[in-house]
Amino acid sequence: MIAELLDGLASLPPAAVTAVAGVLVFGECTLGLGFIAPGETGLFVLGTTATAPDRFGTVDPAGSLAAQRKYVAAFFDLHLRGRSTTVFDRAAHPVVELIP
């Protein structure tokens, strides 16, 4: 039953799948309906219906972690400490490609 439901969701256009996931998260977070369908269900729907990463590739895990640490630290430095940064102006790490 669940497999058929997920297959049906996977056949929908990506925008429709995102809308379904958004409704599930909205229902939990805004309407308080988490006891019916937890918001994590939306993430589950998105994760299980993803078939091919057309726009994304693979990256070395250590490089990915280093890039994440750099960008998260720069974000908090900018917004919490008020320190200016140029990290977001260009790709500041070799494994990062900015998508306009």
Side-chain angles (χ1 to χ4, degrees):
M1 179 176 138
I2 292 176
E4 291 84 13
L5 175 66
L6 292 175
D7 287 340
L9 285 171
S11 67
L12 294 174
V17 175
T18 304
V20 168
V23 166
L24 290 170
V25 173
F26 176 79
E28 178 191 25
C29 297
T30 306
L31 302 177
L33 300 176
F35 60 92
I36 296 173
E40 293 84 4
T41 307
L43 296 176
F44 174 74
V45 166
L46 287 174
T48 56
T49 57
T51 54
D54 296 335
R55 196 167 181 171
F56 305 101
T58 57
V59 66
D60 173 53
S64 173
L65 187 58
Q68 291 174 44
R69 287 181 176 160
K70 183 172 194 149
Y71 280 94
V72 169
F75 175 84
F76 285 115
D77 283 346
L78 177 65
H79 293 288
L80 297 180
R81 295 183 177 164
R83 296 180 184 165
S84 63
T85 181
T86 60
V87 171
F88 303 112
D89 297 338
R90 57 182 164 33
H93 200 275
V95 299
V96 175
E97 178 183 343
L98 298 181
I99 302 173

Coordinates of all heavy atoms in Angstrom, one line a residue:
M1 N 0.8 -1.2 0.0 CA 0.0 0.0 0.0 C 0.9 1.3 0.0 O 0.6 2.2 -0.8 CB -0.9 0.0 1.2 CG -1.8 1.2 1.3 SD -2.9 1.0 2.7 CE -2.8 2.6 3.4
I2 N 1.8 1.3 0.9 CA 2.7 2.5 0.9 C 3.6 2.6 -0.3 O 3.8 3.7 -0.8 CB 3.6 2.5 2.2 CG1 2.7 2.7 3.4 CG2 4.6 3.6 2.2 CD1 3.4 2.6 4.8
A3 N 4.1 1.5 -0.8 CA 4.9 1.5 -2.0 C 4.1 2.0 -3.2 O 4.7 2.8 -4.0 CB 5.4 0.1 -2.3
E4 N 2.9 1.6 -3.3 CA 2.0 2.1 -4.4 C 1.8 3.6 -4.3 O 1.8 4.4 -5.3 CB 0.7 1.4 -4.5 CG 0.8 -0.1 -4.9 CD 1.1 -1.0 -3.7 OE1 1.0 -0.5 -2.5 OE2 1.5 -2.1 -4.0
L5 N 1.6 4.1 -3.1 CA 1.4 5.5 -2.8 C 2.6 6.3 -3.2 O 2.6 7.3 -3.9 CB 1.0 5.8 -1.4 CG 0.9 7.2 -0.9 CD1 -0.3 7.9 -1.6 CD2 0.8 7.4 0.6
L6 N 3.8 5.8 -2.8 CA 5.1 6.5 -3.1 C 5.3 6.4 -4.6 O 5.9 7.4 -5.2 CB 6.2 5.9 -2.3 CG 6.2 6.1 -0.8 CD1 7.3 5.4 -0.1 CD2 6.2 7.6 -0.5
D7 N 5.0 5.3 -5.3 CA 5.2 5.3 -6.7 C 4.3 6.3 -7.4 O 4.7 6.9 -8.4 CB 4.9 3.9 -7.3 CG 5.9 2.9 -6.9 OD1 7.1 3.3 -6.6 OD2 5.6 1.7 -6.9
G8 N 3.1 6.5 -6.9 CA 2.1 7.4 -7.5 C 2.7 8.9 -7.3 O 2.6 9.7 -8.2
L9 N 3.2 9.1 -6.1 CA 3.8 10.5 -5.8 C 5.0 10.7 -6.7 O 5.2 11.8 -7.2 CB 4.2 10.6 -4.4 CG 3.1 10.8 -3.4 CD1 3.6 10.7 -2.0 CD2 2.4 12.1 -3.6
A10 N 5.8 9.7 -7.0 CA 7.0 9.8 -7.8 C 6.7 10.1 -9.2 O 7.4 10.7 -10.0 CB 7.9 8.6 -7.7
S11 N 5.5 9.7 -9.7 CA 5.1 10.0 -11.0 C 4.5 11.4 -11.2 O 4.3 11.9 -12.3 CB 4.0 9.0 -11.5 OG 2.8 9.2 -10.8
L12 N 4.3 12.1 -10.1 CA 3.8 13.5 -10.2 C 5.0 14.4 -10.6 O 6.2 14.1 -10.4 CB 3.3 14.0 -8.8 CG 2.0 13.3 -8.4 CD1 1.7 13.7 -6.9 CD2 0.9 13.6 -9.3
P13 N 4.7 15.6 -11.1 CA 5.7 16.6 -11.4 C 6.4 17.0 -10.1 O 5.7 17.0 -9.1 CB 5.0 17.8 -12.1 CG 3.6 17.3 -12.3 CD 3.4 16.1 -11.6
P14 N 7.7 17.4 -10.1 CA 8.4 17.8 -8.9 C 7.7 18.9 -8.1 O 7.7 18.9 -6.9 CB 9.7 18.3 -9.4 CG 9.9 17.5 -10.7 CD 8.6 17.4 -11.3
A15 N 7.0 19.8 -8.8 CA 6.3 20.9 -8.1 C 5.2 20.4 -7.3 O 4.9 20.8 -6.2 CB 5.9 22.0 -9.1
A16 N 4.5 19.4 -7.8 CA 3.3 18.8 -7.1 C 3.8 18.0 -5.9 O 3.2 18.1 -4.8 CB 2.6 17.9 -8.0
V17 N 4.9 17.3 -6.0 CA 5.5 16.5 -4.9 C 5.9 17.5 -3.8 O 5.6 17.3 -2.6 CB 6.7 15.7 -5.3 CG1 7.3 15.0 -4.1 CG2 6.2 14.6 -6.3
T18 N 6.5 18.6 -4.2 CA 6.9 19.6 -3.2 C 5.7 20.2 -2.5 O 5.7 20.5 -1.3 CB 7.8 20.7 -3.9 OG1 8.9 20.1 -4.5 CG2 8.3 21.8 -2.9
A19 N 4.6 20.5 -3.3 CA 3.4 21.0 -2.7 C 2.8 20.0 -1.7 O 2.4 20.4 -0.6 CB 2.4 21.3 -3.8
V20 N 2.8 18.7 -2.0 CA 2.3 17.7 -1.1 C 3.1 17.8 0.2 O 2.6 17.8 1.3 CB 2.3 16.3 -1.7 CG1 2.0 15.2 -0.7 CG2 1.3 16.2 -2.8
A21 N 4.4 17.8 0.1 CA 5.3 17.8 1.3 C 5.0 19.1 2.1 O 5.0 19.1 3.3 CB 6.7 17.7 0.8
G22 N 4.9 20.2 1.4 CA 4.6 21.5 2.0 C 3.3 21.5 2.8 O 3.2 22.0 3.9
V23 N 2.3 20.9 2.3 CA 1.0 20.8 3.0 C 1.1 19.9 4.2 O 0.6 20.3 5.3 CB -0.1 20.2 2.0 CG1 -1.3 19.7 2.8 CG2 -0.4 21.2 0.9
L24 N 1.9 18.8 4.2 CA 2.1 18.0 5.3 C 2.8 18.8 6.4 O 2.5 18.7 7.6 CB 2.9 16.8 5.0 CG 2.1 15.7 4.1 CD1 3.1 14.6 3.7 CD2 1.0 15.1 5.0
V25 N 3.9 19.5 6.1 CA 4.6 20.3 7.0 C 3.8 21.5 7.6 O 3.7 21.7 8.8 CB 5.9 20.9 6.4 CG1 6.6 21.8 7.4 CG2 6.9 19.7 6.1
F26 N 3.0 22.1 6.7 CA 2.1 23.2 7.1 C 1.1 22.7 8.1 O 0.7 23.3 9.1 CB 1.4 23.8 5.9 CG 0.4 24.8 6.3 CD1 0.8 26.1 6.6 CD2 -1.0 24.5 6.2 CE1 -0.1 27.1 6.9 CE2 -1.9 25.5 6.6 CZ -1.5 26.8 6.9
G27 N 0.5 21.5 7.8 CA -0.5 20.9 8.7 C 0.1 20.6 10.1 O -0.7 20.8 11.1
E28 N 1.3 20.2 10.2 CA 1.9 20.0 11.5 C 2.3 21.3 12.2 O 1.9 21.5 13.4 CB 3.1 19.1 11.4 CG 3.7 18.9 12.8 CD 5.1 18.2 12.8 OE1 5.8 18.3 11.8 OE2 5.4 17.6 13.8
C29 N 3.0 22.1 11.5 CA 3.6 23.3 12.2 C 2.6 24.4 12.4 O 2.7 25.1 13.5 CB 4.7 23.8 11.3 SG 6.1 22.7 11.1
T30 N 1.7 24.6 11.5 CA 0.7 25.8 11.7 C -0.6 25.4 12.2 O -1.1 26.1 13.1 CB 0.5 26.4 10.3 OG1 1.8 26.7 9.7 CG2 -0.3 27.7 10.4
L31 N -1.1 24.3 11.8 CA -2.4 23.8 12.3 C -2.4 22.9 13.5 O -3.5 22.6 14.0 CB -3.2 23.2 11.1 CG -3.4 24.0 9.8 CD1 -4.0 23.2 8.7 CD2 -4.1 25.3 10.1
G32 N -1.2 22.4 13.8 CA -1.1 21.5 15.0 C -1.7 20.1 14.7 O -2.2 19.5 15.6
L33 N -1.6 19.7 13.5 CA -2.1 18.3 13.2 C -1.0 17.3 13.1 O -1.1 16.3 12.4 CB -2.8 18.4 11.8 CG -4.0 19.4 11.7 CD1 -4.5 19.4 10.3 CD2 -5.1 19.0 12.7
G34 N 0.0 17.4 13.9 CA 1.1 16.5 13.9 C 0.7 15.1 14.4 O 1.4 14.1 14.0
F35 N -0.4 15.0 15.1 CA -0.8 13.7 15.5 C -1.4 12.8 14.4 O -1.5 11.6 14.5 CB -1.8 13.8 16.7 CG -3.0 14.5 16.3 CD1 -4.2 13.9 15.9 CD2 -3.1 15.9 16.5 CE1 -5.3 14.6 15.5 CE2 -4.2 16.6 16.2 CZ -5.3 16.0 15.7
I36 N -1.8 13.5 13.3 CA -2.4 12.8 12.1 C -1.2 12.5 11.2 O -1.1 11.3 10.7 CB -3.4 13.7 11.4 CG1 -4.6 13.9 12.4 CG2 -3.9 13.0 10.1 CD1 -5.6 14.8 11.9
A37 N -0.5 13.5 10.7 CA 0.6 13.3 9.8 C 1.8 14.2 10.3 O 1.7 15.4 10.0 CB 0.2 13.6 8.4
P38 N 2.8 13.6 10.9 CA 3.9 14.4 11.4 C 4.6 15.2 10.2 O 4.6 14.7 9.1 CB 4.9 13.4 12.0 CG 4.1 12.2 12.2 CD 3.0 12.2 11.2
G39 N 5.1 16.3 10.5 CA 5.8 17.1 9.5 C 7.0 16.4 8.8 O 7.3 16.6 7.6
E40 N 7.6 15.5 9.5 CA 8.7 14.7 8.9 C 8.2 13.8 7.8 O 9.0 13.4 6.9 CB 9.3 13.8 10.0 CG 10.1 14.6 11.1 CD 9.2 15.0 12.2 OE1 8.0 14.7 12.2 OE2 9.7 15.7 13.1
T41 N 6.9 13.6 7.7 CA 6.3 12.8 6.6 C 6.6 13.5 5.3 O 6.8 12.9 4.3 CB 4.8 12.6 6.8 OG1 4.6 12.0 8.1 CG2 4.3 11.7 5.8
G42 N 6.5 14.9 5.3 CA 6.8 15.6 4.1 C 8.2 15.4 3.6 O 8.5 15.3 2.4
L43 N 9.2 15.4 4.6 CA 10.6 15.1 4.2 C 10.7 13.7 3.7 O 11.5 13.4 2.7 CB 11.5 15.4 5.4 CG 11.5 16.8 5.9 CD1 12.4 16.9 7.1 CD2 12.0 17.7 4.8
F44 N 10.0 12.8 4.3 CA 10.0 11.4 3.8 C 9.5 11.3 2.4 O 10.1 10.6 1.5 CB 9.2 10.5 4.7 CG 9.0 9.1 4.3 CD1 10.1 8.2 4.4 CD2 7.8 8.6 3.8 CE1 10.0 6.9 4.0 CE2 7.7 7.3 3.3 CZ 8.8 6.5 3.4
V45 N 8.4 12.0 2.1 CA 7.8 12.0 0.7 C 8.8 12.5 -0.3 O 9.1 12.0 -1.3 CB 6.5 12.8 0.7 CG1 6.1 13.1 -0.7 CG2 5.4 12.0 1.5
L46 N 9.5 13.7 0.1 CA 10.4 14.3 -0.8 C 11.6 13.3 -1.0 O 12.1 13.2 -2.2 CB 10.9 15.6 -0.3 CG 10.0 16.8 -0.4 CD1 10.6 18.0 0.3 CD2 9.6 17.1 -1.8
G47 N 12.1 12.7 0.0 CA 13.3 11.8 -0.1 C 13.0 10.6 -0.8 O 13.9 10.1 -1.6
T48 N 11.8 10.0 -0.7 CA 11.6 8.7 -1.4 C 11.1 8.9 -2.8 O 11.2 7.9 -3.6 CB 10.5 7.9 -0.6 OG1 9.3 8.7 -0.5 CG2 11.0 7.5 0.7
T49 N 10.7 10.1 -3.2 CA 10.3 10.3 -4.6 C 11.4 10.8 -5.5 O 11.2 10.9 -6.7 CB 9.0 11.2 -4.6 OG1 9.4 12.4 -4.0 CG2 7.9 10.5 -4.0
A50 N 12.5 11.2 -4.9 CA 13.6 11.7 -5.7 C 14.2 10.5 -6.4 O 14.6 9.5 -5.9 CB 14.7 12.3 -4.8
T51 N 14.3 10.7 -7.7 CA 14.8 9.6 -8.6 C 16.2 9.8 -9.1 O 17.0 9.0 -9.1 CB 13.8 9.3 -9.7 OG1 13.6 10.5 -10.4 CG2 12.5 8.8 -9.2
A52 N 16.4 11.0 -9.7 CA 17.7 11.3 -10.3 C 18.2 12.7 -10.0 O 17.5 13.6 -10.2 CB 17.6 11.1 -11.8
P53 N 19.4 12.8 -9.4 CA 19.9 14.1 -9.1 C 20.4 14.8 -10.4 O 21.6 14.7 -10.7 CB 21.0 13.9 -8.1 CG 21.4 12.5 -8.4 CD 20.2 11.8 -9.0
D54 N 19.5 15.4 -11.2 CA 19.9 16.0 -12.5 C 20.9 17.1 -12.3 O 21.8 17.3 -13.1 CB 18.7 16.5 -13.2 CG 17.8 15.4 -13.6 OD1 18.3 14.2 -13.7 OD2 16.6 15.6 -13.8
R55 N 20.7 17.9 -11.3 CA 21.5 19.1 -11.2 C 22.7 19.0 -10.2 O 23.5 19.9 -10.1 CB 20.6 20.2 -10.7 CG 21.1 21.6 -10.9 CD 20.0 22.6 -10.8 NE 20.6 23.9 -11.0 CZ 19.9 25.0 -11.1 NH1 18.6 25.0 -11.0 NH2 20.5 26.2 -11.3
F56 N 22.7 17.9 -9.5 CA 23.7 17.8 -8.5 C 24.6 16.6 -8.8 O 24.1 15.6 -9.4 CB 23.0 17.6 -7.1 CG 22.1 18.7 -6.8 CD1 20.7 18.6 -6.9 CD2 22.6 19.9 -6.4 CE1 19.8 19.6 -6.6 CE2 21.7 21.0 -6.1 CZ 20.3 20.8 -6.2
G57 N 25.8 16.6 -8.3 CA 26.7 15.5 -8.5 C 27.1 14.9 -7.2 O 26.5 15.0 -6.2
T58 N 28.3 14.3 -7.3 CA 28.9 13.7 -6.0 C 30.0 14.6 -5.6 O 30.7 15.3 -6.4 CB 29.3 12.3 -6.3 OG1 30.3 12.3 -7.4 CG2 28.1 11.4 -6.7
V59 N 30.4 14.5 -4.4 CA 31.5 15.3 -3.8 C 32.1 14.4 -2.7 O 31.5 13.6 -2.1 CB 31.0 16.6 -3.3 CG1 30.1 16.5 -2.1 CG2 32.1 17.5 -2.9
D60 N 33.4 14.7 -2.5 CA 34.1 14.0 -1.4 C 33.5 14.4 -0.1 O 33.3 15.6 0.1 CB 35.6 14.4 -1.5 CG 36.4 13.9 -0.3 OD1 36.3 12.7 -0.1 OD2 37.0 14.7 0.3
P61 N 33.2 13.4 0.8 CA 32.5 13.8 2.0 C 33.3 14.8 2.9 O 32.8 15.7 3.5 CB 32.4 12.5 2.8 CG 32.4 11.5 1.7 CD 33.3 12.0 0.6
A62 N 34.6 14.7 2.9 CA 35.5 15.6 3.7 C 35.4 17.0 3.1 O 35.3 18.0 3.8 CB 36.9 15.1 3.7
G63 N 35.4 17.1 1.8 CA 35.3 18.4 1.1 C 33.9 19.0 1.4 O 33.8 20.2 1.6
S64 N 32.9 18.2 1.3 CA 31.5 18.7 1.6 C 31.4 19.2 3.0 O 30.9 20.3 3.3 CB 30.5 17.6 1.4 OG 29.2 18.0 1.8
L65 N 32.0 18.5 4.0 CA 31.9 18.9 5.4 C 32.7 20.2 5.6 O 32.2 21.1 6.3 CB 32.5 17.8 6.3 CG 32.3 18.0 7.8 CD1 30.9 18.2 8.2 CD2 32.9 16.8 8.5
A66 N 33.8 20.3 5.0 CA 34.6 21.6 5.1 C 33.9 22.8 4.5 O 33.9 23.8 5.1 CB 36.0 21.4 4.4
A67 N 33.2 22.6 3.4 CA 32.5 23.7 2.8 C 31.3 24.0 3.6 O 31.0 25.2 3.8 CB 32.0 23.2 1.4
Q68 N 30.6 23.1 4.2 CA 29.4 23.4 5.1 C 29.9 24.1 6.3 O 29.2 25.1 6.7 CB 28.8 22.1 5.5 CG 28.0 21.3 4.4 CD 27.5 20.0 4.8 OE1 27.0 19.8 5.9 NE2 27.7 19.0 3.9
R69 N 31.0 23.7 6.9 CA 31.5 24.4 8.1 C 31.8 25.9 7.7 O 31.5 26.8 8.5 CB 32.7 23.7 8.6 CG 32.3 22.4 9.3 CD 33.5 21.7 9.9 NE 33.1 20.6 10.6 CZ 33.9 19.6 10.9 NH1 35.2 19.6 10.5 NH2 33.5 18.5 11.6
K70 N 32.4 26.1 6.6 CA 32.8 27.4 6.2 C 31.6 28.3 6.0 O 31.6 29.4 6.4 CB 33.7 27.3 4.9 CG 34.2 28.7 4.5 CD 35.2 28.5 3.3 CE 36.0 29.8 3.1 NZ 37.3 29.6 2.6
Y71 N 30.6 27.8 5.3 CA 29.5 28.6 5.0 C 28.6 28.9 6.2 O 28.0 30.0 6.4 CB 28.6 28.0 3.8 CG 29.2 28.4 2.5 CD1 30.1 27.5 1.9 CD2 28.9 29.5 1.8 CE1 30.7 27.8 0.6 CE2 29.5 29.9 0.6 CZ 30.4 29.0 0.0 OH 30.9 29.3 -1.2
V72 N 28.4 27.9 7.0 CA 27.6 28.1 8.3 C 28.3 29.1 9.2 O 27.7 30.0 9.7 CB 27.4 26.7 9.0 CG1 26.8 26.9 10.4 CG2 26.5 25.8 8.1
A73 N 29.6 28.9 9.3 CA 30.4 29.9 10.2 C 30.3 31.3 9.6 O 30.0 32.3 10.4 CB 31.8 29.5 10.3
A74 N 30.4 31.5 8.3 CA 30.3 32.8 7.7 C 28.9 33.3 7.9 O 28.7 34.6 8.1 CB 30.6 32.7 6.2
F75 N 27.8 32.5 7.8 CA 26.5 33.0 8.0 C 26.3 33.5 9.4 O 25.7 34.6 9.6 CB 25.5 31.8 7.7 CG 24.1 32.2 8.0 CD1 23.3 32.8 7.0 CD2 23.5 31.9 9.2 CE1 22.0 33.1 7.3 CE2 22.2 32.2 9.5 CZ 21.4 32.8 8.5
F76 N 26.7 32.8 10.4 CA 26.6 33.2 11.8 C 27.4 34.4 12.1 O 27.0 35.3 12.8 CB 26.8 32.1 12.8 CG 25.7 31.1 12.8 CD1 25.8 29.8 12.4 CD2 24.4 31.5 13.3 CE1 24.8 28.9 12.4 CE2 23.3 30.7 13.3 CZ 23.5 29.4 12.9
D77 N 28.6 34.5 11.5 CA 29.5 35.7 11.7 C 28.8 36.9 11.1 O 28.8 38.0 11.8 CB 30.8 35.5 11.0 CG 31.8 34.6 11.8 OD1 31.5 34.3 13.0 OD2 32.8 34.2 11.2
L78 N 28.2 36.8 10.0 CA 27.5 37.9 9.3 C 26.3 38.3 10.1 O 26.1 39.5 10.4 CB 27.1 37.5 7.9 CG 26.4 38.6 7.1 CD1 27.3 39.8 6.8 CD2 25.9 38.0 5.7
H79 N 25.4 37.4 10.4 CA 24.1 37.7 11.0 C 24.1 37.9 12.5 O 23.2 38.6 13.0 CB 23.0 36.8 10.5 CG 22.8 36.8 9.0 ND1 22.1 37.9 8.4 CD2 23.2 36.0 8.0 CE1 22.1 37.7 7.1 NE2 22.7 36.6 6.8
L80 N 24.9 37.2 13.2 CA 24.9 37.3 14.7 C 26.0 38.2 15.2 O 25.7 38.9 16.2 CB 25.0 35.9 15.3 CG 23.8 34.9 15.0 CD1 24.1 33.6 15.6 CD2 22.5 35.5 15.4
R81 N 27.1 38.1 14.6 CA 28.2 38.9 15.1 C 28.4 40.2 14.3 O 29.2 41.1 14.7 CB 29.5 38.1 15.0 CG 29.5 36.9 16.0 CD 30.8 36.2 15.9 NE 30.8 35.1 16.9 CZ 31.7 34.1 16.9 NH1 32.6 34.1 16.0 NH2 31.6 33.2 17.8
G82 N 27.7 40.4 13.2 CA 27.8 41.6 12.4 C 29.1 41.8 11.7 O 29.4 42.9 11.3
R83 N 29.8 40.7 11.5 CA 31.1 40.8 10.8 C 30.9 40.6 9.3 O 30.2 39.8 8.8 CB 32.0 39.7 11.2 CG 32.4 39.7 12.7 CD 33.4 38.6 13.0 NE 33.7 38.6 14.4 CZ 34.2 37.6 15.1 NH1 34.5 36.5 14.4 NH2 34.5 37.7 16.3
S84 N 31.5 41.5 8.5 CA 31.3 41.4 7.1 C 32.1 40.2 6.5 O 33.1 39.8 7.1 CB 31.8 42.7 6.4 OG 33.1 42.9 6.6
T85 N 31.7 39.7 5.4 CA 32.3 38.5 4.9 C 32.1 38.5 3.3 O 31.2 39.1 2.8 CB 31.8 37.2 5.4 OG1 32.4 36.1 4.8 CG2 30.3 37.0 5.1
T86 N 33.1 38.0 2.6 CA 33.0 37.9 1.2 C 32.7 36.4 0.7 O 32.7 36.1 -0.4 CB 34.3 38.3 0.5 OG1 35.3 37.5 1.0 CG2 34.6 39.8 0.8
V87 N 32.4 35.6 1.7 CA 32.2 34.2 1.4 C 31.0 34.0 0.5 O 31.0 33.1 -0.4 CB 32.0 33.3 2.7 CG1 31.5 31.9 2.4 CG2 33.3 33.3 3.5
F88 N 30.0 34.8 0.6 CA 28.8 34.6 -0.2 C 28.8 35.3 -1.6 O 27.9 35.2 -2.4 CB 27.6 35.0 0.6 CG 27.4 34.3 1.9 CD1 27.6 35.0 3.1 CD2 27.1 33.0 1.9 CE1 27.5 34.3 4.3 CE2 27.0 32.3 3.1 CZ 27.2 33.0 4.3
D89 N 29.9 36.0 -1.8 CA 30.0 36.8 -3.1 C 30.5 35.9 -4.2 O 30.2 36.1 -5.4 CB 31.0 37.9 -2.9 CG 30.6 38.9 -1.9 OD1 29.4 39.0 -1.7 OD2 31.4 39.7 -1.4
R90 N 31.2 34.8 -3.9 CA 31.7 33.9 -4.9 C 31.9 32.5 -4.3 O 31.7 32.4 -3.1 CB 33.1 34.4 -5.4 CG 34.1 34.5 -4.3 CD 35.4 35.1 -4.7 NE 36.3 35.6 -3.7 CZ 36.5 35.2 -2.5 NH1 35.7 34.3 -2.0 NH2 37.3 35.8 -1.7
A91 N 32.1 31.5 -5.0 CA 32.4 30.2 -4.5 C 33.6 30.2 -3.7 O 34.7 30.4 -4.2 CB 32.5 29.2 -5.6
A92 N 33.5 30.1 -2.4 CA 34.7 30.2 -1.5 C 35.3 28.9 -1.1 O 36.2 28.9 -0.3 CB 34.2 30.9 -0.2
H93 N 34.9 27.8 -1.8 CA 35.5 26.5 -1.5 C 35.5 25.8 -2.8 O 34.6 25.9 -3.6 CB 34.6 25.8 -0.5 CG 35.3 24.7 0.2 ND1 35.4 23.4 -0.3 CD2 36.0 24.6 1.3 CE1 36.1 22.7 0.5 NE2 36.5 23.4 1.5
P94 N 36.5 24.9 -3.0 CA 36.6 24.2 -4.3 C 35.5 23.3 -4.7 O 35.2 23.2 -5.9 CB 37.9 23.4 -4.2 CG 38.6 24.0 -3.0 CD 37.6 24.7 -2.2
V95 N 34.7 22.8 -3.7 CA 33.6 21.9 -4.1 C 32.3 22.6 -4.3 O 31.3 22.0 -4.6 CB 33.5 20.8 -3.0 CG1 34.7 19.9 -2.9 CG2 33.1 21.3 -1.7
V96 N 32.3 23.9 -4.1 CA 31.1 24.7 -4.2 C 31.0 25.4 -5.6 O 31.9 25.9 -6.1 CB 31.1 25.8 -3.1 CG1 29.9 26.7 -3.2 CG2 31.1 25.1 -1.7
E97 N 29.8 25.2 -6.1 CA 29.4 25.9 -7.4 C 28.2 26.7 -7.1 O 27.1 26.2 -6.7 CB 29.2 24.9 -8.5 CG 28.8 25.6 -9.8 CD 28.5 24.6 -10.9 OE1 28.9 23.4 -10.7 OE2 27.8 25.0 -11.8
L98 N 28.2 28.0 -7.2 CA 27.1 28.9 -7.0 C 26.1 28.7 -8.2 O 26.5 28.8 -9.3 CB 27.5 30.3 -6.8 CG 28.4 30.6 -5.6 CD1 28.7 32.1 -5.5 CD2 27.7 30.1 -4.3
I99 N 24.8 28.5 -7.9 CA 23.8 28.4 -8.9 C 23.0 29.7 -8.8 O 22.3 29.9 -7.8 CB 22.9 27.1 -8.6 CG1 23.8 25.9 -8.6 CG2 21.8 27.1 -9.7 CD1 23.1 24.6 -8.2
P100 N 22.9 30.5 -9.9 CA 22.2 31.7 -9.8 C 20.7 31.5 -9.8 O 20.2 30.5 -10.2 CB 22.6 32.5 -11.1 CG 23.2 31.5 -12.0 CD 23.6 30.3 -11.1

